[in-house]
Amino acid sequence: DLTPFGSALLFSGNGANGREPWITDGTVAGTLNLLDIHPTSSGLALDTDFCVVDDLAFFAANDGVHGLELWATDGTVGGTYQVLDINAGSGGSSPEQLVAYDGELYFRANQPGSGVELWKSDGTAAGTTMVADIWPGLVSSSPSELQTANGMLYMTASNSSAAGEQVWASDGTAAGTYQVTVSSNGPLNPYRDLTATDAGVFFLHDDGGGSGFELWFSDGTPGAEVMLQDIRPGAATGPREGTLVPALGSTQLLFAAA
């Protein structure tokens, strides 16, 4: 994919050095490999995503020494660097789900002792920290579907086997990271298709009440999520998974249903 970055485009290109980060201004002279991150192989995966936060673009890369870790670039060769070796050594922290929020990068990463949890970065080693150990200890909360809505960061995560996967929100602090939904059916029917709008987040969920997977909404208030309508009455699923799309400047939601 091509990622707009100022007046240029960033992309994962497969050249003489393997798959590495490239940038282009649309000219031959202005198209270059930013850095040969892994000198003997490819530094990037085929599906590498770049996430732009102000004047930096973040991505995950493997230099062959530290494993898959968080990197950043300002669009220059000299300004392309590893942000932090989160999982010290060659293991790699596998940063994923990169999203911009409140002037920083938020993502999930794996660190020994805490598992896969929510992290943030301002592009410096000192400013790259775990936001919250949602499932304390070695077990991963596995934050997923990270996105922003209504001034908050939303995701799905789990903090216990009993609760299972629920919708969580964060303001970027440990104290401001909290569970939004309280469905007792979280362990059996995880939340699907979190989709951000200006009002809050829409998602599909089956709460075990006999309605099947239907369309739900939350404005971020804990325990106040609501099923908007049993579109297909009974246990059958109404909305089609993978079709939820913000529309009209994120003021509305479009989706397919049967």
Side-chain angles (χ1 to χ4, degrees), residues 101-180:
Y101 169 62
D102 199 24
E104 294 184 293
L105 176 81
Y106 284 75
F107 59 102
R108 74 179 199 176
N110 185 11
Q111 185 182 59
S114 56
V116 180
E117 296 292 347
L118 180 66
W119 285 68
K120 67 179 179 180
S121 178
D122 63 2
T124 68
T128 302
T129 59
M130 185 192 303
V131 176
D133 190 3
I134 294 174
W135 191 324
L138 299 174
V139 183
S140 300
S141 69
S142 300
S144 298
E145 300 193 62
L146 274 64
Q147 53 196 283
T148 61
N150 200 25
M152 295 290 289
L153 177 73
Y154 289 89
M155 74 204 96
T156 60
S158 177
N159 69 345
S160 71
S161 298
E165 184 183 85
Q166 301 286 343
V167 177
W168 285 68
S170 179
D171 65 1
T173 67
T177 301
Y178 60 94
Q179 183 177 319
V180 175

Side-chain angles (χ1 to χ4, degrees), residues 49-105:
D49 290 322
F50 294 90
C51 182
V52 176
V53 185
D54 296 332
D55 58 353
L56 286 175
F58 294 87
F59 57 99
N62 184 351
D63 63 0
V65 177
H66 302 99
L68 193 64
E69 290 290 353
L70 183 68
W71 285 65
T73 183
D74 63 3
T76 68
V77 173
T80 302
Y81 59 96
Q82 180 180 291
V83 178
L84 182 66
D85 188 10
I86 294 172
N87 184 358
S90 61
S93 64
S94 301
E96 296 177 311
Q97 306 268 333
L98 279 60
V99 64
Y101 169 62
D102 199 24
E104 294 184 293
L105 176 81

